[in-house]
Amino acid sequence: MSVADEEPALLGLAPVAPDRTVAYGPHPDQLVDVYAPRAGDGGRAAVRGPLVVLLHGGFWRAAYDRRHLSPLAAELAGHGMPVALAEYRRVGAGGGAPQTFEDVTAAIGAAHAALARTVADPAVVLVGHSAGGHLALLAAARPGTPVTRVLAVSPVADLARAHELGLSDGAVAELLGAGPGLPERLAAADPARHPPAGVPVTILHGTDDPDVPVELSRRYAARSPGTTDLRELPGVGHYAPVTPGSPSCHTLVGCLS
């Protein structure tokens, strides 16, 4: 698959309905979709993997929602993992800082409460793609969350550098709000400034990613060499790692199995 074909390959997949949906607040986007572990024949399966909370990307904007990662959620459930696919308020629909960050923390708590009884070890593995990778890294650094591991895929891991580059027509400034105090808000929301203490981080990032340059993950890993395992995917772009059936998605599943 060429890098240019990756986005239509992912977005062309039919959404997969969850087993149930849990609300964690009154806003329509404060939801968590639950996918129970599945056997090969589609029936329920014994749990063989961790409790996964999945955070989608889309540069924090309301134009992108969780449905494009529902095939990945179903894929992980098919490998024996209980999965919670989180939605959150986004820029343009009641989100942005701090609401988006507050929602992610609340969604993790709701997912943990909904799924903890299904696993022997109720600790949470956060899996985030793109802007969702940023949110996963940032959430794992907050005290009190039940997160024991992070798998960040093509993440916006260095927010200051993303802002310097003007990624996606100034998405970082849209998230944080331009104007007075932006440098302080940027520092507070930058995962590269706040690596999670004691939480191991694995980053998967394609070397040919045109949307979020691999440079951002390299900068993050350089700041936290003891706890971050950066795995670069040669010739891979932005979407293949979260597209079921692709070789790089097999790598992602292997990181969780």
Side-chain angles (χ1 to χ4, degrees):
M1 183 191 309
S2 71
V3 169
D5 291 334
E6 289 185 13
E7 182 176 5
L10 174 63
L11 300 184
L13 297 175
V16 181
D19 293 290
R20 59 191 172 105
T21 298
V22 177
Y24 63 87
H27 192 277
D29 287 331
Q30 292 176 314
L31 301 170
V32 172
D33 289 337
V34 175
Y35 293 78
R38 298 286 181 184
D41 58 3
R44 294 295 178 90
V47 176
R48 299 192 304 275
L51 193 166
V52 173
V53 176
L54 187 57
L55 299 171
H56 73 85
F59 280 109
W60 311 280
R61 293 181 176 125
Y64 306 93
D65 64 22
R66 68 192 185 281
R67 287 177 295 179
H68 70 276
L69 282 196
S70 64
L72 176 62
E75 176 76 9
L76 296 178
H79 286 269
M81 303 174 204
V83 179
L85 174 57
E87 192 57 273
Y88 49 87
R89 287 174 290 177
R90 302 173 305 288
V91 175
Q99 294 91 337
T100 295
F101 307 147
E102 293 168 350
D103 279 6
V104 169
T105 299
I108 293 169
H112 186 256
L115 292 171
R117 294 179 182 177
T118 68
V119 292
D121 180 1
V124 169
V125 177
L126 277 184
V127 179
H129 175 242
S130 192
H134 159 263
L135 295 173
L137 292 168
L138 196 63
R142 295 193 183 99
T145 60
V147 176
T148 57
R149 187 155 57 100
V150 175
L151 175 57
V153 187
S154 313
V156 187
D158 189 314
L159 207 62
R161 182 57 176 156
H163 181 55
E164 289 175 3
L165 294 172
L167 293 189
S168 192
D169 298 320
V172 174
E174 287 183 13
L175 170 71
L176 301 178
L182 176 58
E184 292 76 17
R185 293 192 296 277
L186 185 59
D190 194 343
R193 298 281 294 272
H194 307 281
V199 178
V201 172
T202 300
I203 296 178
L204 298 180
H205 210 135
T207 59
D208 291 0
D209 189 332
D211 298 287
V212 180
V214 69
E215 169 200 356
L216 272 63
S217 289
R218 291 171 180 166
R219 289 167 64 95
Y220 180 93
R223 283 175 174 248
S224 53
T227 58
T228 301
D229 176 17
L230 172 58
R231 304 185 187 184
E232 297 187 13
L233 305 171
V236 172
H238 191 65
Y239 296 95
V242 293
T243 304
S246 74
S248 50
C249 190
H250 290 315
T251 300
L252 183 156
V253 173
C255 289
L256 296 170
S257 301

